[in-house]
Amino acid sequence: MKIKSDFSLKNIHGNYVVVASGESARSFTASIVLQKTAVFMWNLLKEKEMNKEQLVNALLQNFDISTVLALNDVDSFFRILKENEILESL
């Protein structure tokens, strides 16, 4: 999965907020603020396509968290992105 090209992050007073442009801006009405691990995953998915296992491994390599927490973070992140039609499946 990968982040659609018309979505990006904007730093607003130290908070990373998802913003839409182009066609997506017309229908995107959510307000999504990302925490540190979510910003990390966002940046990975903007660069290239990754699956759940790859994201979990990346979190485990870059953050001092348990496998259970990494799995929960990835599941929550994917759920929010899918609900808001931010992910594209390749």
Side-chain angles (χ1 to χ4, degrees):
M1 295 196 204
K2 190 174 180 180
I3 303 287
K4 290 181 180 177
S5 61
D6 50 352
F7 287 93
S8 60
L9 283 184
K10 186 172 186 178
N11 186 334
I12 302 175
H13 304 292
N15 294 308
Y16 288 93
V17 179
V18 175
V19 294
S21 61
E23 290 294 318
S24 295
R26 295 179 191 179
S27 61
F28 183 68
T29 59
S31 179
I32 302 173
V33 178
L34 302 182
Q35 301 299 325
K36 189 176 184 176
T37 56
V39 170
F40 176 78
M41 290 186 284
W42 178 280
N43 290 330
L44 290 175
L45 290 175
K46 281 300 273 189
E47 292 176 14
K48 62 182 178 178
E49 179 181 0
M50 295 184 79
N51 62 32
K52 179 179 176 178
E53 182 180 339
Q54 291 168 317
L55 279 177
V56 168
N57 287 332
L59 286 177
L60 292 173
Q61 291 173 359
N62 290 278
F63 294 92
D64 186 24
I65 60 175
S66 69
T67 302
V68 171
L69 184 56
L71 284 166
N72 286 336
D73 282 358
V74 171
D75 285 341
S76 295
F77 185 66
F78 275 158
R79 181 182 46 78
I80 290 167
L81 296 183
K82 286 178 183 177
E83 287 173 357
N84 290 283
E85 299 178 5
I86 296 171
L87 279 179
E88 63 183 35
S89 296
L90 301 174

